[in-house]
Amino acid sequence: MNITIDGPRAAILTVGFVLCYFVHKHTTDKIPGSAGKGDIVGAICAAAAVVMMLWALFGGTDNTAGDTTRSTKPSTVTAVPVNQPSSTPPP
């Protein structure tokens, strides 16, 4: 299995990871009574918000690989089951 991420989307994820690191590092000394631990939840939330916003603005939702689960041929639907007796008597 091969997972590929194109350049702009990889850059968006990298920005999110870097932002998460700096928010966590910045909050290390800001929490009163803590023993040097940063706010990891706040850092992850800030990074997730930025990644989602950048993904929506620059990443888009274009599906260049295509959806292989859908059939390209139209499906046929029958309204009446086959070999179902009709309500009218035969002549």
Side-chain angles (χ1 to χ4, degrees), residues 20 23 39-49:
C20 183
V23 168
D39 184 13
I40 189 68
V41 174
I44 292 172
C45 290

Side-chain angles (χ1 to χ4, degrees), residues 20 36 38 41 52-53 59 86 88-89:
C20 183
V41 174
M52 286 190 300
M53 184 177 66
S86 62
T88 58

Side-chain angles (χ1 to χ4, degrees), residues 14-91:
T14 303
V15 166
F17 292 144
V18 170
L19 178 77
C20 183
Y21 170 76
F22 281 115
V23 168
H24 184 265
K25 203 72 166 150
H26 178 72
T27 58
T28 300
D29 299 329
K30 305 295 181 186
I31 301 173
S34 69
K37 293 184 178 181
D39 184 13
I40 189 68
V41 174
I44 292 172
C45 290
V50 169
V51 165
M52 286 190 300
M53 184 177 66
L54 290 176
W55 197 279
L57 290 174
F58 301 112
T61 57
D62 61 324
N63 191 2
T64 56
D67 189 3
T68 59
T69 59
R70 291 190 203 163
S71 170
T72 56
K73 297 179 182 178
S75 61
T76 29
V77 177
T78 54
V80 180
V82 179
N83 297 331
Q84 181 72 20
S86 62
S87 60
T88 58

